[in-house]
Amino acid sequence: MNRLNFLKQISSLFGISIITTYTLESCNSNELDEDQNVLTEDEIIYNDLKNKTTENGKYLDGRILYVDITHDNFSSLNTVGEFVNDYDNYILILRKSDDLFQTFSNCCPHLGTFNQWSYSNGSFRCSNHGNRYGTANGAISNCGSGRTSGNLKQYVTTINQDILIVDFEG
Ligand code: FES
């Protein structure tokens, strides 16, 4: 993600006033890194997110979830084809390829089971009744709708260095 897109995303998350605050703080205090270089706005925001995800690897701010994929709680995401079922936020986070992370509702479209998922060959399988659901866009099968096929509901997921940004509005 380039700098402009990142700032746009952050500004939509926190509101322009927060960006302004960050800007003013960076101008006023000239936050420095360990080599005494003045931090950029991007670096200040990134460092703030790293601090907020230190405890358990994630930080929920309204409808935006930040996940530090270097945290032990999300170490599965270091491997392509692995996923994390985050019960707190009702989501499955999948590392689909080296560069692509996807986030889905963990609610089975069939009867709503959330904790019996496995992943292989591009789809999730719920072992409660053995139905499989895809990871593509469109043809969404919603939580507990009784459907036995289709794709899981997906949330827009981007990455800034090693922090995933999941937009529950997306
Ligand atoms: S509840 Fe998931 S397949 Fe039936």
Side-chain angles (χ1 to χ4, degrees), residues 1-96:
M1 178 182 297
N2 65 32
R3 179 173 183 249
L4 180 60
N5 285 340
F6 179 65
L7 287 175
K8 281 181 182 173
Q9 179 140 22
I10 292 299
S11 65
S12 70
L13 309 180
F14 293 102
I16 294 301
S17 61
I18 299 299
I19 292 296
T20 304
T21 302
Y22 273 121
T23 303
L24 291 175
E25 284 178 356
S26 66
C27 291
N28 292 337
S29 61
N30 286 337
E31 288 189 38
L32 305 175
D33 66 13
E34 54 195 25
D35 296 323
Q36 302 302 301
N37 298 310
V38 176
L39 295 175
T40 66
E41 293 167 19
D42 289 3
E43 289 167 336
I44 292 170
I45 293 169
Y46 172 78
N47 289 344
D48 184 51
L49 290 174
K50 289 293 278 189
N51 288 334
K52 287 176 174 169
T53 54
T54 296
E55 186 173 338
N56 58 16
K58 58 191 174 187
Y59 168 65
L60 182 64
D61 184 14
R63 301 288 292 157
I64 303 293
L65 177 70
Y66 300 93
V67 174
D68 184 345
I69 62 173
T70 67
H71 194 280
D72 286 348
N73 288 349
F74 294 91
S75 59
S76 298
L77 297 177
N78 290 320
T79 305
V80 171
E82 293 293 324
F83 71 96
V84 172
N85 191 338
D86 178 6
Y87 296 159
D88 292 339
N89 295 292
Y90 313 104
I91 54 174
L92 304 165
I93 304 174
L94 169 69
R95 184 162 199 164
K96 199 166 191 177

Side-chain angles (χ1 to χ4, degrees), residues 108 110-113 126 128-131 133:
C108 181
H110 184 216
L111 295 180
T113 298
C126 173
N128 196 1
H129 304 98
N131 296 316
Y133 300 94

